[in-house]
PDB file of all heavy atoms in Angstrom:
ATOM      1  N   ALA A   1      69.325  79.041 123.838  1.00 97.00           N
ATOM      2  CA  ALA A   1      69.763  79.100 122.446  1.00 97.00           C
ATOM      3  C   ALA A   1      68.574  79.323 121.515  1.00 97.00           C
ATOM      4  O   ALA A   1      68.676  80.025 120.501  1.00 97.00           O
ATOM      5  CB  ALA A   1      70.512  77.832 122.072  1.00 97.00           C
ATOM      6  N   HIS A   2      67.432  78.733 121.847  1.00 97.00           N
ATOM      7  CA  HIS A   2      66.238  78.956 121.040  1.00 97.00           C
ATOM      8  C   HIS A   2      65.767  80.405 121.130  1.00 97.00           C
ATOM      9  O   HIS A   2      65.190  80.939 120.174  1.00 97.00           O
ATOM     10  CB  HIS A   2      65.125  78.000 121.468  1.00 97.00           C
ATOM     11  CG  HIS A   2      65.234  76.648 120.848  1.00 97.00           C
ATOM     12  ND1 HIS A   2      64.921  76.400 119.529  1.00 97.00           N
ATOM     13  CD2 HIS A   2      65.647  75.456 121.369  1.00 97.00           C
ATOM     14  CE1 HIS A   2      65.123  75.122 119.257  1.00 97.00           C
ATOM     15  NE2 HIS A   2      65.557  74.531 120.352  1.00 97.00           N
ATOM     16  N   ASP A   3      65.998  81.040 122.280  1.00 96.00           N
ATOM     17  CA  ASP A   3      65.700  82.470 122.368  1.00 96.00           C
ATOM     18  C   ASP A   3      66.580  83.257 121.400  1.00 96.00           C
ATOM     19  O   ASP A   3      66.151  84.264 120.822  1.00 96.00           O
ATOM     20  CB  ASP A   3      65.907  82.975 123.793  1.00 96.00           C
ATOM     21  CG  ASP A   3      64.886  82.419 124.772  1.00 96.00           C
ATOM     22  OD1 ASP A   3      63.814  81.971 124.320  1.00 96.00           O
ATOM     23  OD2 ASP A   3      65.167  82.424 125.988  1.00 96.00           O
ATOM     24  N   GLY A   4      67.815  82.804 121.221  1.00 97.00           N
ATOM     25  CA  GLY A   4      68.695  83.435 120.241  1.00 97.00           C
ATOM     26  C   GLY A   4      68.189  83.250 118.826  1.00 97.00           C
ATOM     27  O   GLY A   4      68.293  84.162 117.995  1.00 97.00           O
ATOM     28  N   ILE A   5      67.626  82.067 118.531  1.00 96.00           N
ATOM     29  CA  ILE A   5      67.020  81.853 117.214  1.00 96.00           C
ATOM     30  C   ILE A   5      65.862  82.825 117.003  1.00 96.00           C
ATOM     31  O   ILE A   5      65.755  83.479 115.967  1.00 96.00           O
ATOM     32  CB  ILE A   5      66.541  80.388 117.072  1.00 96.00           C
ATOM     33  CG1 ILE A   5      67.733  79.419 117.085  1.00 96.00           C
ATOM     34  CG2 ILE A   5      65.736  80.220 115.784  1.00 96.00           C
ATOM     35  CD1 ILE A   5      67.345  77.955 117.075  1.00 96.00           C
ATOM     36  N   SER A   6      65.010  82.944 118.021  1.00 95.00           N
ATOM     37  CA  SER A   6      63.857  83.838 117.911  1.00 95.00           C
ATOM     38  C   SER A   6      64.275  85.299 117.753  1.00 95.00           C
ATOM     39  O   SER A   6      63.577  86.089 117.115  1.00 95.00           O
ATOM     40  CB  SER A   6      62.957  83.698 119.140  1.00 95.00           C
ATOM     41  OG  SER A   6      62.414  82.397 119.217  1.00 95.00           O
ATOM     42  N   ALA A   7      65.421  85.659 118.336  1.00 96.00           N
ATOM     43  CA  ALA A   7      65.896  87.042 118.238  1.00 96.00           C
ATOM     44  C   ALA A   7      66.372  87.385 116.831  1.00 96.00           C
ATOM     45  O   ALA A   7      66.323  88.545 116.427  1.00 96.00           O
ATOM     46  CB  ALA A   7      67.023  87.275 119.236  1.00 96.00           C
ATOM     47  N   ALA A   8      66.822  86.383 116.080  1.00 96.00           N
ATOM     48  CA  ALA A   8      67.407  86.643 114.772  1.00 96.00           C
ATOM     49  C   ALA A   8      66.537  86.196 113.612  1.00 96.00           C
ATOM     50  O   ALA A   8      66.748  86.638 112.480  1.00 96.00           O
ATOM     51  CB  ALA A   8      68.776  85.976 114.663  1.00 96.00           C
ATOM     52  N   VAL A   9      65.585  85.308 113.855  1.00 94.00           N
ATOM     53  CA  VAL A   9      64.759  84.749 112.786  1.00 94.00           C
ATOM     54  C   VAL A   9      63.294  85.037 113.091  1.00 94.00           C
ATOM     55  O   VAL A   9      62.802  84.681 114.168  1.00 94.00           O
ATOM     56  CB  VAL A   9      64.970  83.224 112.646  1.00 94.00           C
ATOM     57  CG1 VAL A   9      64.058  82.661 111.556  1.00 94.00           C
ATOM     58  CG2 VAL A   9      66.430  82.906 112.334  1.00 94.00           C
ATOM     59  N   ARG A  10      62.601  85.663 112.149  1.00 91.00           N
ATOM     60  CA  ARG A  10      61.183  86.004 112.317  1.00 91.00           C
ATOM     61  C   ARG A  10      60.390  85.518 111.102  1.00 91.00           C
ATOM     62  O   ARG A  10      60.631  85.979 109.993  1.00 91.00           O
ATOM     63  CB  ARG A  10      61.021  87.519 112.446  1.00 91.00           C
ATOM     64  CG  ARG A  10      61.917  88.194 113.469  1.00 91.00           C
ATOM     65  CD  ARG A  10      61.392  88.032 114.879  1.00 91.00           C
ATOM     66  NE  ARG A  10      62.320  88.589 115.854  1.00 91.00           N
ATOM     67  CZ  ARG A  10      62.434  89.885 116.149  1.00 91.00           C
ATOM     68  NH1 ARG A  10      61.676  90.772 115.530  1.00 91.00           N
ATOM     69  NH2 ARG A  10      63.295  90.301 117.076  1.00 91.00           N
ATOM     70  N   PRO A  11      59.426  84.600 111.273  1.00 88.00           N
ATOM     71  CA  PRO A  11      59.145  83.839 112.483  1.00 88.00           C
ATOM     72  C   PRO A  11      60.070  82.635 112.596  1.00 88.00           C
ATOM     73  O   PRO A  11      60.682  82.212 111.610  1.00 88.00           O
ATOM     74  CB  PRO A  11      57.699  83.387 112.268  1.00 88.00           C
ATOM     75  CG  PRO A  11      57.617  83.195 110.780  1.00 88.00           C
ATOM     76  CD  PRO A  11      58.469  84.300 110.189  1.00 88.00           C
ATOM     77  N   ALA A  12      60.132  82.083 113.801  1.00 89.00           N
ATOM     78  CA  ALA A  12      60.881  80.849 114.048  1.00 89.00           C
ATOM     79  C   ALA A  12      59.939  79.832 114.681  1.00 89.00           C
ATOM     80  O   ALA A  12      58.838  80.152 115.109  1.00 89.00           O
ATOM     81  CB  ALA A  12      62.062  81.131 114.976  1.00 89.00           C
ATOM     82  N   HIS A  13      60.396  78.585 114.741  1.00 89.00           N
ATOM     83  CA  HIS A  13      59.674  77.519 115.439  1.00 89.00           C
ATOM     84  C   HIS A  13      58.270  77.288 114.884  1.00 89.00           C
ATOM     85  O   HIS A  13      57.337  76.993 115.628  1.00 89.00           O
ATOM     86  CB  HIS A  13      59.585  77.825 116.943  1.00 89.00           C
ATOM     87  CG  HIS A  13      60.896  78.142 117.582  1.00 89.00           C
ATOM     88  ND1 HIS A  13      61.050  79.156 118.503  1.00 89.00           N
ATOM     89  CD2 HIS A  13      62.123  77.602 117.428  1.00 89.00           C
ATOM     90  CE1 HIS A  13      62.307  79.216 118.905  1.00 89.00           C
ATOM     91  NE2 HIS A  13      62.977  78.274 118.253  1.00 89.00           N
ATOM     92  N   THR A  14      58.106  77.420 113.572  1.00 84.00           N
ATOM     93  CA  THR A  14      56.794  77.218 112.975  1.00 84.00           C
ATOM     94  C   THR A  14      56.554  75.737 112.698  1.00 84.00           C
ATOM     95  O   THR A  14      57.430  74.889 112.888  1.00 84.00           O
ATOM     96  CB  THR A  14      56.656  77.999 111.656  1.00 84.00           C
ATOM     97  OG1 THR A  14      57.402  77.318 110.637  1.00 84.00           O
ATOM     98  CG2 THR A  14      57.157  79.420 111.809  1.00 84.00           C
ATOM     99  N   ILE A  15      55.358  75.425 112.211  1.00 86.00           N
ATOM    100  CA  ILE A  15      55.025  74.044 111.874  1.00 86.00           C
ATOM    101  C   ILE A  15      55.931  73.501 110.773  1.00 86.00           C
ATOM    102  O   ILE A  15      56.128  72.298 110.643  1.00 86.00           O
ATOM    103  CB  ILE A  15      53.543  73.944 111.453  1.00 86.00           C
ATOM    104  CG1 ILE A  15      53.090  72.478 111.339  1.00 86.00           C
ATOM    105  CG2 ILE A  15      53.312  74.679 110.136  1.00 86.00           C
ATOM    106  CD1 ILE A  15      53.092  71.726 112.635  1.00 86.00           C
ATOM    107  N   TRP A  16      56.538  74.412 109.979  1.00 82.00           N
ATOM    108  CA  TRP A  16      57.409  74.001 108.887  1.00 82.00           C
ATOM    109  C   TRP A  16      58.869  73.879 109.323  1.00 82.00           C
ATOM    110  O   TRP A  16      59.715  73.479 108.526  1.00 82.00           O
ATOM    111  CB  TRP A  16      57.315  75.010 107.739  1.00 82.00           C
ATOM    112  CG  TRP A  16      55.960  75.046 107.107  1.00 82.00           C
ATOM    113  CD1 TRP A  16      54.983  75.986 107.296  1.00 82.00           C
ATOM    114  CD2 TRP A  16      55.422  74.103 106.191  1.00 82.00           C
ATOM    115  NE1 TRP A  16      53.875  75.681 106.550  1.00 82.00           N
ATOM    116  CE2 TRP A  16      54.116  74.531 105.864  1.00 82.00           C
ATOM    117  CE3 TRP A  16      55.914  72.929 105.611  1.00 82.00           C
ATOM    118  CZ2 TRP A  16      53.298  73.831 104.982  1.00 82.00           C
ATOM    119  CZ3 TRP A  16      55.093  72.232 104.734  1.00 82.00           C
ATOM    120  CH2 TRP A  16      53.811  72.681 104.423  1.00 82.00           C
ATOM    121  N   ASP A  17      59.182  74.261 110.545  1.00 85.00           N
ATOM    122  CA  ASP A  17      60.568  74.292 111.013  1.00 85.00           C
ATOM    123  C   ASP A  17      60.925  73.059 111.841  1.00 85.00           C
ATOM    124  O   ASP A  17      60.071  72.477 112.509  1.00 85.00           O
ATOM    125  CB  ASP A  17      60.814  75.538 111.876  1.00 85.00           C
ATOM    126  CG  ASP A  17      60.760  76.830 111.083  1.00 85.00           C
ATOM    127  OD1 ASP A  17      61.408  76.872 110.020  1.00 85.00           O
ATOM    128  OD2 ASP A  17      60.072  77.766 111.507  1.00 85.00           O
ATOM    129  N   GLY A  18      62.201  72.710 111.812  1.00 88.00           N
ATOM    130  CA  GLY A  18      62.723  71.655 112.675  1.00 88.00           C
ATOM    131  C   GLY A  18      63.849  72.204 113.534  1.00 88.00           C
ATOM    132  O   GLY A  18      64.887  71.565 113.700  1.00 88.00           O
ATOM    133  N   ASP A  19      63.640  73.411 114.074  1.00 94.00           N
ATOM    134  CA  ASP A  19      64.696  74.102 114.812  1.00 94.00           C
ATOM    135  C   ASP A  19      65.215  73.245 115.968  1.00 94.00           C
ATOM    136  O   ASP A  19      64.444  72.785 116.810  1.00 94.00           O
ATOM    137  CB  ASP A  19      64.170  75.429 115.359  1.00 94.00           C
ATOM    138  CG  ASP A  19      63.747  76.380 114.253  1.00 94.00           C
ATOM    139  OD1 ASP A  19      64.300  76.283 113.144  1.00 94.00           O
ATOM    140  OD2 ASP A  19      62.853  77.211 114.497  1.00 94.00           O
ATOM    141  N   THR A  20      66.523  73.071 116.006  1.00 96.00           N
ATOM    142  CA  THR A  20      67.155  72.214 117.015  1.00 96.00           C
ATOM    143  C   THR A  20      68.370  72.934 117.583  1.00 96.00           C
ATOM    144  O   THR A  20      69.185  73.465 116.831  1.00 96.00           O
ATOM    145  CB  THR A  20      67.594  70.876 116.395  1.00 96.00           C
ATOM    146  OG1 THR A  20      66.454  70.230 115.833  1.00 96.00           O
ATOM    147  CG2 THR A  20      68.221  69.973 117.449  1.00 96.00           C
ATOM    148  N   ALA A  21      68.460  72.946 118.910  1.00 97.00           N
ATOM    149  CA  ALA A  21      69.602  73.572 119.587  1.00 97.00           C
ATOM    150  C   ALA A  21      70.267  72.563 120.503  1.00 97.00           C
ATOM    151  O   ALA A  21      69.599  71.929 121.344  1.00 97.00           O
ATOM    152  CB  ALA A  21      69.148  74.789 120.389  1.00 97.00           C
ATOM    153  N   PHE A  22      71.568  72.394 120.339  1.00 98.00           N
ATOM    154  CA  PHE A  22      72.378  71.549 121.205  1.00 98.00           C
ATOM    155  C   PHE A  22      73.213  72.443 122.118  1.00 98.00           C
ATOM    156  O   PHE A  22      73.679  73.503 121.695  1.00 98.00           O
ATOM    157  CB  PHE A  22      73.318  70.666 120.386  1.00 98.00           C
ATOM    158  CG  PHE A  22      72.626  69.724 119.448  1.00 98.00           C
ATOM    159  CD1 PHE A  22      72.548  70.005 118.086  1.00 98.00           C
ATOM    160  CD2 PHE A  22      72.054  68.551 119.916  1.00 98.00           C
ATOM    161  CE1 PHE A  22      71.922  69.131 117.214  1.00 98.00           C
ATOM    162  CE2 PHE A  22      71.414  67.676 119.051  1.00 98.00           C
ATOM    163  CZ  PHE A  22      71.353  67.962 117.689  1.00 98.00           C
ATOM    164  N   ALA A  23      73.411  72.008 123.350  1.00 98.00           N
ATOM    165  CA  ALA A  23      74.256  72.733 124.307  1.00 98.00           C
ATOM    166  C   ALA A  23      75.380  71.827 124.768  1.00 98.00           C
ATOM    167  O   ALA A  23      75.156  70.659 125.106  1.00 98.00           O
ATOM    168  CB  ALA A  23      73.435  73.206 125.498  1.00 98.00           C
ATOM    169  N   LEU A  24      76.595  72.363 124.789  1.00 98.00           N
ATOM    170  CA  LEU A  24      77.789  71.644 125.235  1.00 98.00           C
ATOM    171  C   LEU A  24      78.457  72.436 126.352  1.00 98.00           C
ATOM    172  O   LEU A  24      78.636  73.646 126.224  1.00 98.00           O
ATOM    173  CB  LEU A  24      78.781  71.466 124.087  1.00 98.00           C
ATOM    174  CG  LEU A  24      78.297  70.719 122.845  1.00 98.00           C
ATOM    175  CD1 LEU A  24      79.357  70.781 121.752  1.00 98.00           C
ATOM    176  CD2 LEU A  24      77.957  69.272 123.181  1.00 98.00           C
ATOM    177  N   ALA A  25      78.830  71.753 127.429  1.00 98.00           N
ATOM    178  CA  ALA A  25      79.510  72.398 128.554  1.00 98.00           C
ATOM    179  C   ALA A  25      80.756  71.595 128.904  1.00 98.00           C
ATOM    180  O   ALA A  25      80.659  70.437 129.318  1.00 98.00           O
ATOM    181  CB  ALA A  25      78.584  72.491 129.773  1.00 98.00           C
ATOM    182  N   THR A  26      81.920  72.216 128.717  1.00 97.00           N
ATOM    183  CA  THR A  26      83.180  71.484 128.908  1.00 97.00           C
ATOM    184  C   THR A  26      83.652  71.459 130.362  1.00 97.00           C
ATOM    185  O   THR A  26      84.548  70.701 130.705  1.00 97.00           O
ATOM    186  CB  THR A  26      84.282  72.086 128.029  1.00 97.00           C
ATOM    187  OG1 THR A  26      84.514  73.456 128.422  1.00 97.00           O
ATOM    188  CG2 THR A  26      83.884  72.056 126.563  1.00 97.00           C
ATOM    189  N   GLY A  27      83.089  72.321 131.234  1.00 95.00           N
ATOM    190  CA  GLY A  27      83.306  72.199 132.669  1.00 95.00           C
ATOM    191  C   GLY A  27      84.601  72.748 133.203  1.00 95.00           C
ATOM    192  O   GLY A  27      85.123  72.244 134.212  1.00 95.00           O
ATOM    193  N   GLU A  28      85.141  73.800 132.607  1.00 93.00           N
ATOM    194  CA  GLU A  28      86.425  74.327 133.055  1.00 93.00           C
ATOM    195  C   GLU A  28      86.310  75.434 134.098  1.00 93.00           C
ATOM    196  O   GLU A  28      87.269  75.709 134.813  1.00 93.00           O
ATOM    197  CB  GLU A  28      87.222  74.858 131.860  1.00 93.00           C
ATOM    198  CG  GLU A  28      87.656  73.789 130.877  1.00 93.00           C
ATOM    199  CD  GLU A  28      88.505  74.363 129.771  1.00 93.00           C
ATOM    200  OE1 GLU A  28      88.408  75.580 129.519  1.00 93.00           O
ATOM    201  OE2 GLU A  28      89.279  73.606 129.164  1.00 93.00           O
ATOM    202  N   THR A  29      85.156  76.106 134.154  1.00 95.00           N
ATOM    203  CA  THR A  29      85.041  77.246 135.054  1.00 95.00           C
ATOM    204  C   THR A  29      83.631  77.333 135.616  1.00 95.00           C
ATOM    205  O   THR A  29      82.686  76.818 135.024  1.00 95.00           O
ATOM    206  CB  THR A  29      85.391  78.559 134.309  1.00 95.00           C
ATOM    207  OG1 THR A  29      85.452  79.642 135.236  1.00 95.00           O
ATOM    208  CG2 THR A  29      84.345  78.883 133.253  1.00 95.00           C
ATOM    209  N   GLU A  30      83.502  77.977 136.768  1.00 95.00           N
ATOM    210  CA  GLU A  30      82.192  78.223 137.359  1.00 95.00           C
ATOM    211  C   GLU A  30      81.643  79.545 136.821  1.00 95.00           C
ATOM    212  O   GLU A  30      82.391  80.510 136.626  1.00 95.00           O
ATOM    213  CB  GLU A  30      82.289  78.291 138.883  1.00 95.00           C
ATOM    214  CG  GLU A  30      82.697  76.968 139.526  1.00 95.00           C
ATOM    215  CD  GLU A  30      81.610  75.917 139.453  1.00 95.00           C
ATOM    216  OE1 GLU A  30      80.448  76.274 139.148  1.00 95.00           O
ATOM    217  OE2 GLU A  30      81.905  74.733 139.687  1.00 95.00           O
ATOM    218  N   ALA A  31      80.337  79.586 136.590  1.00 95.00           N
ATOM    219  CA  ALA A  31      79.717  80.807 136.085  1.00 95.00           C
ATOM    220  C   ALA A  31      78.251  80.821 136.468  1.00 95.00           C
ATOM    221  O   ALA A  31      77.622  79.770 136.634  1.00 95.00           O
ATOM    222  CB  ALA A  31      79.867  80.907 134.567  1.00 95.00           C
ATOM    223  N   ASP A  32      77.717  82.018 136.604  1.00 94.00           N
ATOM    224  CA  ASP A  32      76.314  82.198 136.926  1.00 94.00           C
ATOM    225  C   ASP A  32      75.444  81.784 135.742  1.00 94.00           C
ATOM    226  O   ASP A  32      75.705  82.190 134.602  1.00 94.00           O
ATOM    227  CB  ASP A  32      76.061  83.672 137.278  1.00 94.00           C
ATOM    228  CG  ASP A  32      74.602  83.957 137.538  1.00 94.00           C
ATOM    229  OD1 ASP A  32      74.091  83.528 138.582  1.00 94.00           O
ATOM    230  OD2 ASP A  32      73.985  84.608 136.669  1.00 94.00           O
ATOM    231  N   GLN A  33      74.419  80.982 136.013  1.00 95.00           N
ATOM    232  CA  GLN A  33      73.569  80.474 134.940  1.00 95.00           C
ATOM    233  C   GLN A  33      72.917  81.594 134.148  1.00 95.00           C
ATOM    234  O   GLN A  33      72.838  81.538 132.914  1.00 95.00           O
ATOM    235  CB  GLN A  33      72.488  79.552 135.518  1.00 95.00           C
ATOM    236  CG  GLN A  33      71.571  78.919 134.479  1.00 95.00           C
ATOM    237  CD  GLN A  33      72.220  77.790 133.709  1.00 95.00           C
ATOM    238  OE1 GLN A  33      73.234  77.246 134.149  1.00 95.00           O
ATOM    239  NE2 GLN A  33      71.658  77.427 132.569  1.00 95.00           N
ATOM    240  N   ARG A  34      72.455  82.626 134.837  1.00 95.00           N
ATOM    241  CA  ARG A  34      71.791  83.719 134.129  1.00 95.00           C
ATOM    242  C   ARG A  34      72.747  84.422 133.179  1.00 95.00           C
ATOM    243  O   ARG A  34      72.349  84.813 132.066  1.00 95.00           O
ATOM    244  CB  ARG A  34      71.203  84.711 135.128  1.00 95.00           C
ATOM    245  CG  ARG A  34      69.997  84.192 135.900  1.00 95.00           C
ATOM    246  CD  ARG A  34      69.566  85.156 136.963  1.00 95.00           C
ATOM    247  NE  ARG A  34      70.586  85.317 137.995  1.00 95.00           N
ATOM    248  CZ  ARG A  34      70.465  86.117 139.048  1.00 95.00           C
ATOM    249  NH1 ARG A  34      69.373  86.846 139.202  1.00 95.00           N
ATOM    250  NH2 ARG A  34      71.435  86.199 139.950  1.00 95.00           N
ATOM    251  N   SER A  35      73.983  84.569 133.584  1.00 95.00           N
ATOM    252  CA  SER A  35      74.966  85.208 132.711  1.00 95.00           C
ATOM    253  C   SER A  35      75.245  84.350 131.485  1.00 95.00           C
ATOM    254  O   SER A  35      75.328  84.856 130.359  1.00 95.00           O
ATOM    255  CB  SER A  35      76.260  85.462 133.479  1.00 95.00           C
ATOM    256  OG  SER A  35      76.054  86.346 134.556  1.00 95.00           O
ATOM    257  N   ILE A  36      75.387  83.052 131.706  1.00 97.00           N
ATOM    258  CA  ILE A  36      75.651  82.148 130.583  1.00 97.00           C
ATOM    259  C   ILE A  36      74.521  82.218 129.570  1.00 97.00           C
ATOM    260  O   ILE A  36      74.746  82.342 128.357  1.00 97.00           O
ATOM    261  CB  ILE A  36      75.822  80.698 131.085  1.00 97.00           C
ATOM    262  CG1 ILE A  36      76.964  80.593 132.081  1.00 97.00           C
ATOM    263  CG2 ILE A  36      76.055  79.752 129.901  1.00 97.00           C
ATOM    264  CD1 ILE A  36      77.025  79.255 132.791  1.00 97.00           C
ATOM    265  N   GLU A  37      73.289  82.155 130.060  1.00 97.00           N
ATOM    266  CA  GLU A  37      72.142  82.150 129.159  1.00 97.00           C
ATOM    267  C   GLU A  37      72.006  83.473 128.417  1.00 97.00           C
ATOM    268  O   GLU A  37      71.711  83.495 127.211  1.00 97.00           O
ATOM    269  CB  GLU A  37      70.866  81.837 129.933  1.00 97.00           C
ATOM    270  CG  GLU A  37      70.825  80.409 130.463  1.00 97.00           C
ATOM    271  CD  GLU A  37      69.564  80.116 131.258  1.00 97.00           C
ATOM    272  OE1 GLU A  37      68.594  80.894 131.149  1.00 97.00           O
ATOM    273  OE2 GLU A  37      69.539  79.109 131.989  1.00 97.00           O
ATOM    274  N   ALA A  38      72.216  84.590 129.111  1.00 97.00           N
ATOM    275  CA  ALA A  38      72.106  85.895 128.457  1.00 97.00           C
ATOM    276  C   ALA A  38      73.139  86.039 127.344  1.00 97.00           C
ATOM    277  O   ALA A  38      72.835  86.533 126.244  1.00 97.00           O
ATOM    278  CB  ALA A  38      72.262  87.008 129.487  1.00 97.00           C
ATOM    279  N   ILE A  39      74.356  85.603 127.611  1.00 97.00           N
ATOM    280  CA  ILE A  39      75.410  85.680 126.593  1.00 97.00           C
ATOM    281  C   ILE A  39      75.100  84.722 125.450  1.00 97.00           C
ATOM    282  O   ILE A  39      75.335  85.037 124.275  1.00 97.00           O
ATOM    283  CB  ILE A  39      76.783  85.369 127.221  1.00 97.00           C
ATOM    284  CG1 ILE A  39      77.151  86.444 128.244  1.00 97.00           C
ATOM    285  CG2 ILE A  39      77.852  85.253 126.150  1.00 97.00           C
ATOM    286  CD1 ILE A  39      78.386  86.117 129.050  1.00 97.00           C
ATOM    287  N   ALA A  40      74.545  83.553 125.777  1.00 98.00           N
ATOM    288  CA  ALA A  40      74.224  82.570 124.738  1.00 98.00           C
ATOM    289  C   ALA A  40      73.190  83.108 123.760  1.00 98.00           C
ATOM    290  O   ALA A  40      73.294  82.889 122.544  1.00 98.00           O
ATOM    291  CB  ALA A  40      73.723  81.279 125.377  1.00 98.00           C
TER     292      ALA A  40
END
C-alpha cells in the first residue's frame, strides 16, 4: 500500500509525513500474494 502512496504522491514518506497504511483481509478466497500486492 505504501508503494501505492509513492506512485501517486511525490515526494512521500518525508520527515514531515506520518504516512500510515492499514491492511485488512477478510479471508473469503485464496489468491496469489504477488497478484494481491500488485493490484493493491
Side-chain angles (χ1 to χ4, degrees):
H2 277 286
D3 292 340
I5 294 175
S6 296
V9 178
R10 310 281 175 80
H13 308 138
T14 75
I15 190 65
W16 295 103
D17 292 312
D19 298 332
T20 302
F22 299 102
L24 301 173
T26 62
E28 294 183 338
T29 188
E30 295 289 346
D32 176 72
Q33 182 75 18
R34 289 174 295 180
S35 298
I36 301 170
E37 292 179 16
I39 295 172

